[in-house]
Amino acid sequence: MNTNFFLRLSSMVVFVLLQALVLNNIHIFNIATPLLYIALPLKFDSEQSRWSSLLWCFTTGLLIDIFANTPGLAAGSMTLFGAMQPSILRLFIQNSEDEYIKPSAKTIGWMKYSTYTILASIIYCFIFFTLEAFTFFNPLLWLLKIAGSALLTIIILIAMERIKK
């Protein structure tokens, strides 16, 4: 096995434990909760195979579901997001299909990386909270949860990238 597998596995374990033990207990105004575990699929490179992406995302979502007692919610959201991630990434990289690109502020630039992170976070929060609500009974609360959680997630992800730099 290569080192990329073990790095990704250790990242998944750290994100799942951080989400389960710390971030799931943060509810700002009972609306916003940071969903940091989407950092794992955000870092999938341009050569990541579709089945591998879906498998990593499903496993991460399943572990989140087990710890957060949300049966199928994170697994379904992460799997759908894993299927969408290559298309979202392609919006922000050059048209050269043969070039290997790992998304980061260093490789694609701060502006593109920030926009990629913002768009991906909003899409994931939309998927997650739409599946959670499963109804549009209270659309204002639904929109506030999406906006608040996406904002917290974006702030943490951008801060992590700045610290890494």
Side-chain angles (χ1 to χ4, degrees):
M1 300 232 165
N2 58 13
T3 57
N4 190 22
F5 172 80
F6 291 111
L7 285 173
R8 191 168 288 154
L9 182 65
S10 63
S11 295
M12 182 179 72
V13 168
V14 167
F15 286 134
V16 167
L17 288 175
L18 184 64
Q19 184 72 39
L21 299 175
V22 178
L23 298 176
N24 278 348
N25 297 319
I26 297 173
H27 303 290
I28 298 178
F29 301 118
N30 262 348
I31 292 175
T33 301
L35 304 171
L36 188 62
Y37 54 91
I38 69 164
L40 184 72
L42 282 180
K43 292 296 184 178
F44 287 163
D45 55 50
S46 58
E47 294 180 355
Q48 180 80 22
S49 65
R50 183 65 60 114
W51 70 268
S52 174
S53 174
L54 292 175
L55 186 62
W56 278 104
C57 287
F58 175 76
T59 305
T60 304
L62 187 63
L63 290 172
I64 294 293
D65 283 336
I66 289 169
F67 287 114
N69 197 22
T70 55
L73 181 62
S77 302
M78 282 292 284
T79 304
L80 182 58
F81 183 72
M84 296 173 69
Q85 185 270 342
S87 301
I88 298 169
L89 178 61
R90 246 180 264 121
L91 294 172
F92 298 98
I93 60 175
Q94 303 299 330
N95 290 334
S96 58
E97 293 292 329
D98 56 331
E99 189 176 336
Y100 170 82
I101 294 179
K102 185 170 176 89
S104 71
K106 184 190 282 188
T107 58
I108 64 174
W110 267 106
M111 198 61 186
K112 285 184 179 180
Y113 181 77
S114 298
T115 311
Y116 167 65
T117 303
I118 290 167
L119 180 64
S121 297
I122 291 170
I123 288 172
Y124 181 76
C125 288
F126 176 81
I127 294 167
F128 184 85
F129 289 109
T130 301
L131 287 177
E132 181 190 49
F134 212 67
T135 181
F136 296 111
F137 180 70
N138 192 347
L140 182 61
L141 180 63
W142 172 71
L143 287 173
L144 285 173
K145 283 185 175 188
I146 291 171
S149 295
L151 182 64
L152 276 177
T153 304
I154 290 164
I155 290 169
I156 293 172
L157 290 172
I158 298 291
M160 282 175 37
E161 189 67 23
R162 288 294 280 183
I163 290 170
K164 190 174 83 170
K165 178 187 171 198

